[in-house]
Structure formats: C-alpha cells, structure tokens
Amino acid sequence: MTEPDFLHRFEPAPPGGGGETLLLLHGTGGNENDLLPIGRTVAPGTALLAPRGRVLEHGMPRFFRRLAEGVFDVADLRARAHELADFVAHAAKRYAFDAARVVAVGFSNGANIASAVMLLRPECLAGSILLRPMVPFAPGGADPPATGAPLAGRRVLVAAGRADPIVPASESEQLATLLSGAGAEVTLHWSPGGHTLDRSDLTAASAWWNAGGARVARTSAAARTAAARPRAK
Ligand code: MLT
C-alpha cells in the first residue's frame, strides 16, 4: 500500500490528553484549517488530523467528485473513502497515535466522506460527528454492508438543520436509520437553521463528546482487540 498523499495538518494532543484523535474533514471550498477551532472546542484533549480534500471543483477542494449538487460520483466516492482510510492508517504510524481511537468530525462534503468511510472501512473510525451530512450511497445493493452490525459500538452524532436547503429533513432521518441499521448508536440533533452551522450544533457536539466520545473509542478499541484474539478451541 503506497502512502496516500494528502496535504494536511497534525496537532498532537496536549499533555494529559485523552488519547483520541479527531479526523477533521472540511466542506466544499474549505481546507485543512477550517475545522481546527471546532475540534479544539468540542474535544480539547485530543490530537487533530486535518487533511485537505484532493478533488478540485472549479478550484474548490472537496473529498470526492460530484456530478451535480447532491448527486455524487459514487465510484469516485468509494475510491476516495478507501484512500482517506489508508491515509489515516499511515498517519497513525507516522505520528504515533492510536488508530483505534480516531473520531471523525466532518462538515457537509467532509461529513459525507466520513459516513462513506464508516460504511466501507468500519475499522477506521471509532465514531463520527456528522455536521449537515447526506446519505453517501443509495441504501441496498453492494454499497453499504448488507448484513451484520459493522458499526456496533460506535457512536455517531448527526447534526441536521431544519431549514437546510441542501439536505432535506427526510434525508437526515434516512442517514440516521442507515447508520443505526449498521449497528451504530446514533444521536440526531436538529438545529433550527440551514446548512450553515450555528451555536446549537457546537453545543450538541460538545455534549455528545462529553457523554462518551472517549468511551466509545475505548470500547471499540477493546472490542477490536478481543475480536483479533484467536479463539480457544
Ligand atoms: C456534497 O457534495 O458533498 C454535498 O452536496 C455537500 C456540499 O458539498 O455542498
């Protein structure tokens, strides 16, 4: 596996930090600096890993190609989700953080690739804060795992806007159902606003984190260790 080359920023956890790393994923037209303040506010004790999306749409960085607003190039999304998961695995070795304790914080396009990574590479993320996400793949078919509970033990916050002109309320609910169906413990937060984040989103994200962001990361790390242990015959 060659190392995927993302422009990125990494900030180690402050002394006495909890051992988790936040994977910060910006929206269309953003960059690796955008979500650093949110990461520091929501989970101050974590390391921060912030890549810049490698797809350019009229010069605006994104994490995968789209055919039109809200119409994704699913083949590209799948390939880029794997590429991002590989980048996180390499970054964990390079910066010596615990790959089993990575929690994504994604906004809009960044939230969409975060949920694609959760569905395609469940081992990569211990949980996610999805800010104004959409459904990354049509449910069914070969895209999301069809059976089992690959996201068991992972907590996900879906922060949706009641007046979002890009993501209809029904789609936010559909995503929550899709992730719950894959075994995740999903919290759905509704802001009264649109696609732009407001204070209630940050309050909800902090409350979600304080209620167990770290717990889930540890639980899923323990579960993975147990699953990897050979069974006694
Ligand atoms: C996307 O393309 O991921 C969504 O339409 C959100 C956006 O970036 O506008």
Side-chain angles (χ1 to χ4, degrees), residues 4 16-17 20 24 29 73 78 90 115 124-125 140 163 174 176 179 188 190 222:
E20 294 80 23
L24 303 174
D73 178 336
R78 290 169 63 90
H90 281 285
S115 53
C124 180
L125 294 174
Q174 201 189 342
L179 295 172
L188 183 51
W190 288 103

Side-chain angles (χ1 to χ4, degrees), residues 28 62 64 66 69-70 72 108-109 112 134 166 195:
T28 299
R62 288 174 48 85
F64 58 88
R66 65 179 164 183
E69 173 81 47
F72 301 156
S108 190
N109 181 248
N112 297 336
M134 303 172 90
I166 296 177
H195 203 66

Side-chain angles (χ1 to χ4, degrees), residues 57-227:
E57 183 184 271
H58 308 301
M60 296 186 296
R62 288 174 48 85
F63 286 96
F64 58 88
R65 275 170 28 89
R66 65 179 164 183
L67 308 175
E69 173 81 47
V71 183
F72 301 156
D73 178 336
V74 174
D76 188 66
L77 170 54
R78 290 169 63 90
R80 305 256 177 205
H82 285 293
E83 190 180 71
L84 183 60
D86 291 344
F87 163 73
V88 174
H90 281 285
K93 289 189 191 126
R94 174 171 173 189
Y95 296 115
F97 63 78
D98 187 346
R101 295 169 74 180
V102 178
V103 175
V105 180
F107 168 62
S108 190
N109 181 248
N112 297 336
I113 192 130
S115 53
V117 169
M118 288 202 94
L119 291 164
L120 292 172
R121 296 278 290 273
E123 80 287 356
C124 180
L125 294 174
S128 285
I129 296 176
L130 305 175
L131 305 164
R132 304 296 186 273
M134 303 172 90
V135 173
F137 314 113
D143 280 336
T147 55
L151 299 182
R154 286 158 180 81
R155 293 171 70 239
V156 179
L157 174 68
V158 173
R162 282 266 177 230
D164 192 330
I166 296 177
V167 190
S170 57
E171 184 160 358
S172 306
E173 279 157 6
Q174 201 189 342
L175 177 64
T177 303
L178 173 65
L179 295 172
S180 309
E185 188 189 315
V186 180
T187 302
L188 183 51
H189 163 77
W190 288 103
S191 145
H195 203 66
T196 305
L197 300 179
D198 61 36
R199 186 170 289 279
S200 86
D201 295 300
L202 295 189
T203 306
S206 297
W208 179 91
W209 181 265
N210 292 334
R215 166 178 68 78
V216 162
R218 285 195 195 100
T219 308
S220 46
R224 264 169 267 167
T225 308

